[in-house]
Amino acid sequence: MEDVLVRGMVGNARVYAVSTTHLTQYMNETHQLSPLAAAALGRACAGALLMAATMKEHEGVTLRFKGGGPLGQVLADAAGSTVRGFVQHPHADLPLKNGKLDVGGGVGRDGLLIVTRIPEKGAPFTGCSLLQSGEIADDLTKYLFDSEQTPSSVALGVLVAADCSIAAAGGYFVQPLPGSDDAFLTALEKNILSLPPVTELLKAGYDPEGIIRLVGKGFPVEILDSTPVSFHCSCSREGVERMLCGLPDSEFEAMLKDPKTEVTCHYCGQVYTFTPQELRALPHHSGNGKKLPEL
């Protein structure tokens, strides 16, 4: 099954579903993730893609889960049909909880979900909510209700195989439109509660369109479009150069003493190498001590 995001209408609700098995496996290999970290990052990236699907084509969203757990910060950054992400402590792991990966314990519950929406024009908008469980999907659902007054349902899942590869990953997002009546909402909720976990649906052969049709059982279902999704990192040598030019004088001068300086992108692992001569050739840096920007 290819990685794809499908948008549809179920009665008076928008429904988005995504399969992300291959891109999650790519991140699993790139970051050499523990099974716990793979499950957390895979859920976060699927959630970011689903939220980005509600936005305009050239807009994006960043999800930061900062819960105080052993995984540290879990970050996912999506725009359109692409996503990237990282886990602060990618090798952290915990014992199984009730036979399943303890994502909630890995992320932690003592902290925030910070959501930054990046419009095509204008300044980014950031909102946050307290983490509820650290399980990613629950926390996204809570954020949408608390911070954006949007009653929604988010389901996410990552199945890690015995050999630590990703057997299935994806999720869905249900967003009733304003004015939906109680009977419709009750029936829709009943459909959602009757569904097995996302990974079981994917393993059983249901693609995102099939999942939308299950969510919409008993209602008119309209499939709007289907878009392939993939991992993509926007880092570049030029972006790293801009970051280096913003370093304080003391840090910049210290790098000049090393035979080479290496900067590694947190998202994709790309290493950018600079010699002292290349550093000296950069435009004059400000030396104002401002915070390093993202790559």
Side-chain angles (χ1 to χ4, degrees), residues 277-292:
Q277 292 76 19
E278 289 171 326
L279 291 175
R280 291 190 182 95
L282 294 177
H284 180 69
H285 58 97
S286 64
N288 61 6
K290 65 181 181 181
K291 183 179 178 181
L292 274 64

Side-chain angles (χ1 to χ4, degrees), residues 9 20 55 62 102 106 163 200 204 212 226 264 278:
M9 291 294 299
T20 56
M55 304 170 69
T62 298
D102 186 9
D163 63 359
E200 289 187 21
I212 290 176
S226 176
T264 303
E278 289 171 326

Side-chain angles (χ1 to χ4, degrees), residues 107-185:
V107 173
R109 303 168 182 83
D110 184 20
L112 298 171
L113 164 57
I114 303 169
V115 178
T116 302
R117 292 183 179 270
I118 306 164
E120 186 175 0
K121 296 180 180 179
F125 168 79
T126 297
C128 64
S129 68
L130 293 172
L131 291 175
Q132 176 170 286
S133 67
E135 294 283 346
I136 307 296
D138 292 344
D139 299 303
L140 279 174
T141 300
K142 181 177 184 293
Y143 167 81
L144 289 165
F145 184 79
D146 290 349
S147 298
E148 300 189 4
Q149 290 76 54
T150 306
S152 308
S153 178
V154 181
L156 304 167
V158 175
L159 178 61
V160 182
D163 63 359
C164 295
S165 65
I166 305 303
Y172 62 85
F173 172 30
V174 182
Q175 187 178 57
L177 297 178
S180 299
D181 60 55
D182 291 343
F184 170 72
L185 294 175

Side-chain angles (χ1 to χ4, degrees), residues 135-247:
E135 294 283 346
I136 307 296
D138 292 344
D139 299 303
L140 279 174
T141 300
K142 181 177 184 293
Y143 167 81
L144 289 165
F145 184 79
D146 290 349
S147 298
E148 300 189 4
Q149 290 76 54
T150 306
S152 308
S153 178
V154 181
L156 304 167
V158 175
L159 178 61
V160 182
D163 63 359
C164 295
S165 65
I166 305 303
Y172 62 85
F173 172 30
V174 182
Q175 187 178 57
L177 297 178
S180 299
D181 60 55
D182 291 343
F184 170 72
L185 294 175
T186 299
L188 188 63
E189 181 181 26
K190 183 178 179 181
N191 281 358
I192 293 169
L193 292 175
S194 70
L195 292 179
V198 173
T199 51
E200 289 187 21
L201 293 173
L202 293 169
K203 285 293 288 180
Y206 287 97
D207 60 8
E209 180 178 335
I211 292 174
I212 290 176
R213 295 190 182 281
L214 288 177
V215 170
K217 183 179 179 181
F219 296 102
V221 175
E222 179 185 2
I223 301 301
L224 301 177
D225 55 43
S226 176
T227 305
V229 295
S230 62
F231 175 92
H232 173 71
C233 186
S234 58
C235 73
S236 66
R237 188 174 181 86
E238 291 75 18
V240 174
E241 289 175 353
R242 289 193 297 271
M243 179 194 71
L244 293 174
C245 289
L247 289 174

Side-chain angles (χ1 to χ4, degrees), residues 25-112:
Q25 175 60 17
Y26 177 82
M27 292 187 294
N28 187 33
E29 295 174 355
T30 299
H31 296 295
Q32 298 183 331
L33 301 172
S34 70
L36 182 66
L41 183 58
R43 292 184 191 183
C45 285
L49 282 168
L50 290 168
M51 289 192 67
T54 69
M55 304 170 69
K56 295 180 181 178
E57 183 179 356
H58 299 292
E59 297 181 339
V61 63
T62 298
L63 309 181
R64 297 175 186 266
F65 296 85
K66 304 176 70 173
L71 291 174
Q73 181 178 192
V74 179
L75 188 146
D77 186 13
S81 60
T82 65
V83 69
R84 63 180 186 170
F86 71 87
V87 179
Q88 186 176 4
H89 302 302
H91 309 307
D93 216 343
L94 288 173
L96 296 179
K97 183 178 181 180
N98 300 323
K100 298 181 178 180
L101 293 168
D102 186 9
V103 173
V107 173
R109 303 168 182 83
D110 184 20
L112 298 171

